[in-house]
Amino acid sequence: MATRKKVLLKVIILGDSSVGKTSLMNQYINKKFTNQYKATIGADFLTKEVMVDDRIVTLQIWDTAGQERFQSLGVAFYRGADCCVLVFDVASPGSFKSLDGWRDEFLIQASPSNPDHFPFVVLGNKADLENRTVSTKRAQQWCQNKNGLPYFETSAKEATNVDQAFITIARNALAQDTDVELYNDFPEQIKLSGSTENRSSGSDNCAC
Amino acid sequence: MDFAKLDEEELSYELKTRGIAPMNNVNEMRNVLRGLIKIEVEGKSLLATDSSVSIDVKSEVKTCVKKLQVINTMVKNIKGDRYSEHYRAVDAKLCHLMNRVDKLPAVEPQDRKDRSNLLKGILFLMRKMEEMAISTTVVETNTNTNDNTAGTGTVILYEKTTITDMNSTSENSGSVTSDEEFGTEYFVQQGVAIKSLSKLLKGSKRHKNDSETHYTGLLKIMKYKTAKFIEWKPTEMSIFPDADEWNIVDTDYKQNGKNKNDCNIDIKINLATMKSYKMKKHKKHQISILQTNGSLVTFLFESSPINDFVTALKTLLHTEKEIRHHRPTGVILVLSERQDSDPLCQSIKELKIFPDQPPTSTVWSFISGFQNNPVEKTYETFAKISDVLLTRTPDTRPDQEVAELLNRVEDDDEYTMVDHPPSVLPPRPVAKPRGNPLNQATFYQSMDNEGRILNPDNIKNIIFYGGCEHLIRYEVWKYLLGYYPWNSTREQRLYIDKLQAAEYERMKVQWMNMSPDQISRFNMYRDRKSLIDKDVYRTDRTLDFFAGDGNENLVKLHNVLMTYVMYNFDLGYVQGMSDLLSPILMIMKSDEVESFWCFVGFMNRVNTNFELKQTGMKKQLNDLHYLLTTVSPELENHLKKMDSSNMYFCFRWLLVLFKREFVHSDIMRLWEVLWTDIPCANFHLLICVAILDNEKDTIINENYGLTEILKHVNNLCERIDLDKALTTAYSIYEQLKEAQPSLQDSVNELLGFSLSHSDTILSSDSNSKEDDYEKALLMNYL
């Protein structure tokens, strides 16, 4: 797989409302923090070129709305994700409990080809807060139980661990990407989307 | 108040409350009161404020209830506009009642409850009167349309007892009655349901998430001497209301309607009148059958597969798949009935050379003709064949309208769309420049002495073309958002303020009194509260109004949103709502009560955007796609190619009505335009189309894909020229209006062009609401 073609890695950030998804993305890409970010509506993304083990890759980081009911509509954008970042707020036990739900939701909606080994990275954000309620140990335990997911405690506000976390995200996403390329050693353009048409005419045939 | 319209009892009450003993002469009382009111208008209240006038609460409540009922009937029978005698009489009586209820010294809980019910009743009637005053003419046309709908009768549908009568007038008269006895069952299937009949009668109702009423019954194909029929008789009834919390009222209405009328219905479809059918095997199998008269019936095969029925149909009919753009549409066209078993007759018939004659005679006349004059007959026949081949085929295709009707049944499949050839629109008219905003002078001059706005349509028109001056937004928005009825008097508005302030306080106290202990066991409340806490903190903080720590306005924002949770707990708080409230709170000068009720008015327009299943958003994105397909087929083509025809990139625009796309001053101008509902309720979709149309060249020329389109659209934030978007949207509206006859039904419906249709829906909906209200009133008091 020594291809030198440009690699685009798609990263999706998921997590409860107000855990700091937008802030993390902006801290990583723009090195800026403000607590005035509005609640994200719909979806948006930012891109950044990074070096991962002497390869240049473009990270396309997708920020999403945290309220669950808005998830179903944005599914189209999650397809083909290379890595999923699950974020919770260390001062909000509820947001930590939601991680399971977010993970399952992603696997269902994005339906990656190898769900058991799809790279997730877990971030416990707002680590700068003093009133934290989710202990590091508890979070690590959860990650351990999920096939040993990488876990970082970050602070988007103080830029703690953010770069490190995203480098790991990029590296894991790249590993995933290469894996996929290995498995899918087909000539280009096998259009699966065309099959809907065949199917519909097929059903006509059988019934009429 | 017009005392000439009050009766004796009312007059004496009015006098008593002013500390004057009633007189025997009605006219005298009126004169005294007129004199008194003149003094009162000058500001000196003569109303006895102390409770020196003792009132028996119970009997007073009874009197008021009776009056309310009387007025209710009067309102229903109002003829003429707001200046008519009749209207003014009701108005005066209502005014009197309002004063009276207001003065009810309600101390006991039951009395207070009665009082608040009475007030609700009065407010309801006030609004009802306003609606009447605005739409007197509309109501009249509505009744006509309703009659028409019933007259044309989209389905062959009749009560059991009248079958014979109906048949004698139908085409197959005479023989049918005897056929009834001798007909043979060709196919029988139990447990087949038919889709809600009201839906069939008003096909255009598809966009409402109404509950599905299904009638289960026995489906048969019957062969009689002269014709074959698909017959269906109900055996039982089953109702599947949607779990949609906002439609409960609608469901009730439907159930009642059904019990009254729809029970005894049979359906008979003559195979000869079948035009086409379409199957769906999604969840439950279903088949929709379209007749030549345009009526559409859908059968649901609840437990059994549909195949046997279709096979039976196919042995009786010649069919062909409809092809459009080289793809089957799923519609099966019925070419003809298989009349006879005689193969010669059948093949001759299939040629359709002699369309007017029965096949047997066709054969014989052909043979005799051939014997008598072989050459001529042969040429004639060949000529007819070529005629058939060259010209006949299109006749058997359903036209666009019909195809659409068939596809309409598919409405539970999200994003199912038919390919339509791009319609060619007339050139777009030049965009008219925006007008001047509504100013203070014009606004106040439009009121009569009592403070009623005499011509709300005129005011709305000015706002649509030019918005409002900032100074009077505080007043005007309250009308636009339905807090004040347009025809309310100053007196009535003071009253509304008082009433709604109390109502707001009542709901506010509900959440404020919740103890931490209580909250700890109230998960749903906690979730809503925590979302609000998080969002208030990050709503428009860059505006001075909300800037800084410990800003009082953040508390108000929080309070109003929390109270809305108590007002509509099922919907609760959803992200985006704080965006909608923030400008309102600013315009209402941080007044919680006014902000709250205006916000309620705004939410009533857009609450489907926020519902759990997102059906409202899906529908809007879908509707937007329809409009774009019509207005800008090239762009739509590109979107389709790029897998973007779900229009998701417009999600943010629609969810919070462009709140995130424009700066604060623009958003106020935009929203007041949208609240006028001019030229149609879906004008915001046309604004989307206008903006996208403006970006069309970039998107297509740069060959933007799914992600690039989203990025491009997101980046338009605060870079859109609002005036241009508004004027372009309106000229698109005019362009479409000109093309109206050639537009698809769905587009016409979205833009409110097909007046007869949309009026029917409007009237039926508001009727149902009113009926419900009346029911509630009666239940309370009788």
Side-chain angles (χ1 to χ4, degrees), chain B residues 209-211 240-248 251 570 613:
Chain B
N209 293 329
D210 50 2
S211 66
F240 309 102
D242 263 5
D244 198 325
E245 51 266 86
W246 295 287
N247 284 319
I248 292 164
T251 314
D570 288 340
K613 287 180 188 160

Side-chain angles (χ1 to χ4, degrees), chain A residues 8 10 16-22 25 35-47 60 62 65-79 89 92 95 126 191 193 196-197 200-208, chain B residues 277 279 281 307 310 314 321 326-330 332 415 531 534-535 537-542 570-571 573-576 579 609-614 617-618 621 643 646 648-649 651-652 655-656 659-660 706-708 710-711 714-715 718:
Chain A
L8 177 81
K10 197 166 174 179
D16 276 6
S17 169
S18 186
V19 293
K21 298 178 291 297
T22 310
M25 178 178 82
N35 53 15
Q36 292 179 343
Y37 288 125
K38 293 177 180 178
T40 306
I41 293 177
D44 201 359
F45 67 89
L46 292 173
T47 52
Q60 188 182 74
W62 283 80
Q67 203 163 352
E68 217 180 324
R69 67 186 67 195
F70 295 133
Q71 287 300 312
S72 61
L73 278 164
V75 176
F77 297 104
Y78 305 165
R79 280 194 206 112
D89 170 356
S92 156
S95 71
K126 306 195 188 179
K191 269 210 130 180
S193 58
T196 36
E197 202 176 307
S200 67
S201 61
S203 71
D204 277 341
N205 286 340
C206 75
C208 323
Chain B
Y277 62 90
M279 277 172 294
K281 296 189 172 179
N307 296 17
V310 175
K314 295 183 129 215
K321 279 187 232 171
H326 312 291
R327 282 168 61 183
T329 57
I332 310 298
Y415 299 122
L531 272 172
K534 286 168 184 165
D535 278 3
Y537 187 65
R538 48 180 176 163
T539 302
D540 287 332
R541 295 303 299 281
T542 48
D570 288 340
L571 187 58
Y573 173 79
V574 184
Q575 290 196 322
D579 278 276
N609 285 9
F610 297 98
E611 60 197 349
L612 186 60
K613 287 180 188 160
Q614 291 287 288
M617 285 305 295
K618 284 175 188 164
L621 292 170
D643 205 12
N646 60 20
Y648 184 74
F649 49 88
F651 183 85
R652 191 172 74 193
L655 185 79
V656 289
K659 171 68 169 27
R660 297 286 177 91
L706 178 78
T707 50
E708 290 92 347
L710 179 88
K711 192 83 211 165
N714 280 349
N715 284 348
E718 298 190 2

